[in-house]
Amino acid sequence: MTTTDSPRVKSTRQRSAVVPQAIRTAGSRSLGPFQQAGEMVQLAGQVFYSAVRHPIGYWGDVRDQMYDTLRLCWIPMMFSCIGFGFGAPGLQAGNIYILFGIPERLGSFFVMASVREFAPWINAMVVAGVMGTAITADLGARRIREEIDAMEVLGVDPVRTLILPRVIAVTIMTGLMDLIALAFGVLGGFLAALQLGSSPAAFTENFFANATTTDIWASVAKTTLFGLIISVVCCYKGFRASGGPAGVGRAVNQAVVIAFAAIWSFNFVFTTILLGLAPEIQVYR
């Protein structure tokens, strides 16, 4: 003799089966970003190990990628740094300094504004938006065309062949281009000082009186690490792209957003540690 459950009992059992599945789905979605972050760190470790274990054979590709980075990024970075330096910290801070009767002190402000903050930030944003998207789109297109799968079948390491040169090139060039960004950012502030009627000699004298070696090397080091973050994130998203051309577009969008968020978070931590280890650079002379 068989017994059948009532409709109410069946409905209760169905709901009890759906609830754990929903919990598992929500848990996997919440852990997804942490899993991707761990895989990005793992990819960075693979790149570092491959570069150190056999440091030859890839420098030609690194040179080509460095040239592409410089060719594509330096002009938009130049205009962005000059425009931002002239407008936001230049004119706005200059007007505040005029209210206090110290317009000649604008040069000292640009040590903090340009050298420490906005020049490295603009440099990283331009590299991520121009070169980072190109890297993600290139690797994503190779993935959906199954070129990377074919390389793996043939025994060719795609990480060493495709990712390693891009990571090294973007990391080095982002740090080197920071010096160009600093120069054009300060130039924008200099033009703002002229616009406000301040003395050019006073601007220059105050800038070099407050600029220290710590400011310069910290700016370059921070921007170099920005380049490492950008290259690893963009290579990872392109390397793991799926879903056809639409998937490549999503990977590009996600790569830029993640790179920006990672740069902002790292910048906060780096600047806090720098100011804590070198409090003397907070004193304006």
PDB file of all heavy atoms in Angstrom, residues 11-28:
ATOM      1  N   SER A  11       4.636  21.045  -1.564  1.00  0.00           N
ATOM      2  CA  SER A  11       5.068  22.425  -1.719  1.00  0.00           C
ATOM      3  C   SER A  11       6.114  22.788  -0.670  1.00  0.00           C
ATOM      4  O   SER A  11       7.088  23.477  -0.953  1.00  0.00           O
ATOM      5  CB  SER A  11       3.856  23.361  -1.595  1.00  0.00           C
ATOM      6  OG  SER A  11       4.261  24.705  -1.653  1.00  0.00           O
ATOM      7  N   THR A  12       5.917  22.289   0.573  1.00  0.00           N
ATOM      8  CA  THR A  12       6.896  22.574   1.635  1.00  0.00           C
ATOM      9  C   THR A  12       8.242  21.952   1.306  1.00  0.00           C
ATOM     10  O   THR A  12       9.301  22.570   1.505  1.00  0.00           O
ATOM     11  CB  THR A  12       6.370  22.037   2.972  1.00  0.00           C
ATOM     12  OG1 THR A  12       5.100  22.625   3.255  1.00  0.00           O
ATOM     13  CG2 THR A  12       7.349  22.351   4.095  1.00  0.00           C
ATOM     14  N   ARG A  13       8.237  20.732   0.800  1.00  0.00           N
ATOM     15  CA  ARG A  13       9.489  20.072   0.445  1.00  0.00           C
ATOM     16  C   ARG A  13      10.196  20.790  -0.707  1.00  0.00           C
ATOM     17  O   ARG A  13      11.423  20.925  -0.722  1.00  0.00           O
ATOM     18  CB  ARG A  13       9.217  18.619   0.069  1.00  0.00           C
ATOM     19  CG  ARG A  13       8.833  17.753   1.263  1.00  0.00           C
ATOM     20  CD  ARG A  13       8.577  16.333   0.830  1.00  0.00           C
ATOM     21  NE  ARG A  13       8.276  15.490   1.989  1.00  0.00           N
ATOM     22  CZ  ARG A  13       7.960  14.197   1.897  1.00  0.00           C
ATOM     23  NH1 ARG A  13       7.913  13.613   0.698  1.00  0.00           N
ATOM     24  NH2 ARG A  13       7.706  13.510   2.986  1.00  0.00           N
ATOM     25  N   GLN A  14       9.445  21.257  -1.671  1.00  0.00           N
ATOM     26  CA  GLN A  14      10.051  21.985  -2.786  1.00  0.00           C
ATOM     27  C   GLN A  14      10.701  23.280  -2.316  1.00  0.00           C
ATOM     28  O   GLN A  14      11.797  23.636  -2.738  1.00  0.00           O
ATOM     29  CB  GLN A  14       8.994  22.272  -3.856  1.00  0.00           C
ATOM     30  CG  GLN A  14       8.520  21.029  -4.599  1.00  0.00           C
ATOM     31  CD  GLN A  14       7.392  21.338  -5.561  1.00  0.00           C
ATOM     32  OE1 GLN A  14       6.889  22.458  -5.599  1.00  0.00           O
ATOM     33  NE2 GLN A  14       6.984  20.333  -6.343  1.00  0.00           N
ATOM     34  N   ARG A  15      10.003  23.998  -1.403  1.00  0.00           N
ATOM     35  CA  ARG A  15      10.584  25.237  -0.890  1.00  0.00           C
ATOM     36  C   ARG A  15      11.852  24.958  -0.078  1.00  0.00           C
ATOM     37  O   ARG A  15      12.826  25.697  -0.154  1.00  0.00           O
ATOM     38  CB  ARG A  15       9.562  25.989  -0.039  1.00  0.00           C
ATOM     39  CG  ARG A  15       8.468  26.668  -0.840  1.00  0.00           C
ATOM     40  CD  ARG A  15       7.750  27.698   0.019  1.00  0.00           C
ATOM     41  NE  ARG A  15       7.134  27.083   1.195  1.00  0.00           N
ATOM     42  CZ  ARG A  15       5.904  26.605   1.243  1.00  0.00           C
ATOM     43  NH1 ARG A  15       5.130  26.673   0.163  1.00  0.00           N
ATOM     44  NH2 ARG A  15       5.420  26.076   2.354  1.00  0.00           N
ATOM     45  N   SER A  16      11.839  23.885   0.706  1.00  0.00           N
ATOM     46  CA  SER A  16      13.021  23.553   1.498  1.00  0.00           C
ATOM     47  C   SER A  16      14.188  23.149   0.617  1.00  0.00           C
ATOM     48  O   SER A  16      15.347  23.314   0.998  1.00  0.00           O
ATOM     49  CB  SER A  16      12.691  22.417   2.477  1.00  0.00           C
ATOM     50  OG  SER A  16      12.329  21.232   1.756  1.00  0.00           O
ATOM     51  N   ALA A  17      13.924  22.618  -0.571  1.00  0.00           N
ATOM     52  CA  ALA A  17      15.012  22.254  -1.489  1.00  0.00           C
ATOM     53  C   ALA A  17      15.544  23.478  -2.227  1.00  0.00           C
ATOM     54  O   ALA A  17      16.714  23.536  -2.591  1.00  0.00           O
ATOM     55  CB  ALA A  17      14.526  21.211  -2.490  1.00  0.00           C
ATOM     56  N   VAL A  18      14.664  24.458  -2.463  1.00  0.00           N
ATOM     57  CA  VAL A  18      15.080  25.644  -3.193  1.00  0.00           C
ATOM     58  C   VAL A  18      15.923  26.563  -2.311  1.00  0.00           C
ATOM     59  O   VAL A  18      16.886  27.182  -2.765  1.00  0.00           O
ATOM     60  CB  VAL A  18      13.848  26.391  -3.745  1.00  0.00           C
ATOM     61  CG1 VAL A  18      14.243  27.757  -4.279  1.00  0.00           C
ATOM     62  CG2 VAL A  18      13.193  25.561  -4.840  1.00  0.00           C
ATOM     63  N   VAL A  19      15.594  26.659  -1.021  1.00  0.00           N
ATOM     64  CA  VAL A  19      16.289  27.587  -0.131  1.00  0.00           C
ATOM     65  C   VAL A  19      17.785  27.281  -0.022  1.00  0.00           C
ATOM     66  O   VAL A  19      18.620  28.178  -0.172  1.00  0.00           O
ATOM     67  CB  VAL A  19      15.615  27.603   1.255  1.00  0.00           C
ATOM     68  CG1 VAL A  19      16.463  28.395   2.255  1.00  0.00           C
ATOM     69  CG2 VAL A  19      14.227  28.211   1.154  1.00  0.00           C
ATOM     70  N   PRO A  20      18.212  26.014   0.229  1.00  0.00           N
ATOM     71  CA  PRO A  20      19.663  25.766   0.260  1.00  0.00           C
ATOM     72  C   PRO A  20      20.355  26.074  -1.064  1.00  0.00           C
ATOM     73  O   PRO A  20      21.502  26.548  -1.083  1.00  0.00           O
ATOM     74  CB  PRO A  20      19.757  24.271   0.607  1.00  0.00           C
ATOM     75  CG  PRO A  20      18.479  23.976   1.306  1.00  0.00           C
ATOM     76  CD  PRO A  20      17.460  24.825   0.636  1.00  0.00           C
ATOM     77  N   GLN A  21      19.678  25.798  -2.191  1.00  0.00           N
ATOM     78  CA  GLN A  21      20.270  26.120  -3.482  1.00  0.00           C
ATOM     79  C   GLN A  21      20.467  27.614  -3.637  1.00  0.00           C
ATOM     80  O   GLN A  21      21.497  28.079  -4.151  1.00  0.00           O
ATOM     81  CB  GLN A  21      19.368  25.575  -4.609  1.00  0.00           C
ATOM     82  CG  GLN A  21      19.886  25.866  -5.998  1.00  0.00           C
ATOM     83  CD  GLN A  21      21.195  25.172  -6.277  1.00  0.00           C
ATOM     84  OE1 GLN A  21      21.466  24.104  -5.728  1.00  0.00           O
ATOM     85  NE2 GLN A  21      22.029  25.765  -7.118  1.00  0.00           N
ATOM     86  N   ALA A  22      19.498  28.405  -3.185  1.00  0.00           N
ATOM     87  CA  ALA A  22      19.636  29.860  -3.249  1.00  0.00           C
ATOM     88  C   ALA A  22      20.775  30.336  -2.362  1.00  0.00           C
ATOM     89  O   ALA A  22      21.522  31.256  -2.721  1.00  0.00           O
ATOM     90  CB  ALA A  22      18.321  30.526  -2.835  1.00  0.00           C
ATOM     91  N   ILE A  23      20.929  29.709  -1.192  1.00  0.00           N
ATOM     92  CA  ILE A  23      22.016  30.089  -0.288  1.00  0.00           C
ATOM     93  C   ILE A  23      23.364  29.773  -0.914  1.00  0.00           C
ATOM     94  O   ILE A  23      24.301  30.568  -0.851  1.00  0.00           O
ATOM     95  CB  ILE A  23      21.854  29.378   1.069  1.00  0.00           C
ATOM     96  CG1 ILE A  23      20.588  29.869   1.776  1.00  0.00           C
ATOM     97  CG2 ILE A  23      23.081  29.603   1.951  1.00  0.00           C
ATOM     98  CD1 ILE A  23      20.288  29.151   3.068  1.00  0.00           C
ATOM     99  N   ARG A  24      23.452  28.596  -1.545  1.00  0.00           N
ATOM    100  CA  ARG A  24      24.715  28.230  -2.196  1.00  0.00           C
ATOM    101  C   ARG A  24      25.033  29.176  -3.349  1.00  0.00           C
ATOM    102  O   ARG A  24      26.190  29.564  -3.554  1.00  0.00           O
ATOM    103  CB  ARG A  24      24.641  26.784  -2.688  1.00  0.00           C
ATOM    104  CG  ARG A  24      24.691  25.745  -1.579  1.00  0.00           C
ATOM    105  CD  ARG A  24      24.952  24.366  -2.152  1.00  0.00           C
ATOM    106  NE  ARG A  24      23.852  23.934  -3.004  1.00  0.00           N
ATOM    107  CZ  ARG A  24      22.804  23.226  -2.556  1.00  0.00           C
ATOM    108  NH1 ARG A  24      22.720  22.908  -1.273  1.00  0.00           N
ATOM    109  NH2 ARG A  24      21.846  22.870  -3.372  1.00  0.00           N
ATOM    110  N   THR A  25      24.012  29.565  -4.104  1.00  0.00           N
ATOM    111  CA  THR A  25      24.237  30.480  -5.218  1.00  0.00           C
ATOM    112  C   THR A  25      24.696  31.851  -4.724  1.00  0.00           C
ATOM    113  O   THR A  25      25.644  32.444  -5.256  1.00  0.00           O
ATOM    114  CB  THR A  25      22.950  30.629  -6.042  1.00  0.00           C
ATOM    115  OG1 THR A  25      22.540  29.339  -6.515  1.00  0.00           O
ATOM    116  CG2 THR A  25      23.183  31.550  -7.229  1.00  0.00           C
ATOM    117  N   ALA A  26      24.035  32.350  -3.685  1.00  0.00           N
ATOM    118  CA  ALA A  26      24.440  33.650  -3.128  1.00  0.00           C
ATOM    119  C   ALA A  26      25.846  33.577  -2.547  1.00  0.00           C
ATOM    120  O   ALA A  26      26.644  34.517  -2.686  1.00  0.00           O
ATOM    121  CB  ALA A  26      23.445  34.089  -2.054  1.00  0.00           C
ATOM    122  N   GLY A  27      26.187  32.451  -1.907  1.00  0.00           N
ATOM    123  CA  GLY A  27      27.527  32.301  -1.354  1.00  0.00           C
ATOM    124  C   GLY A  27      28.595  32.268  -2.425  1.00  0.00           C
ATOM    125  O   GLY A  27      29.656  32.881  -2.283  1.00  0.00           O
ATOM    126  N   SER A  28      28.308  31.561  -3.524  1.00  0.00           N
ATOM    127  CA  SER A  28      29.294  31.506  -4.606  1.00  0.00           C
ATOM    128  C   SER A  28      29.475  32.868  -5.260  1.00  0.00           C
ATOM    129  O   SER A  28      30.592  33.242  -5.636  1.00  0.00           O
ATOM    130  CB  SER A  28      28.857  30.471  -5.653  1.00  0.00           C
ATOM    131  OG  SER A  28      27.618  30.854  -6.244  1.00  0.00           O
TER     132      SER A  28
END
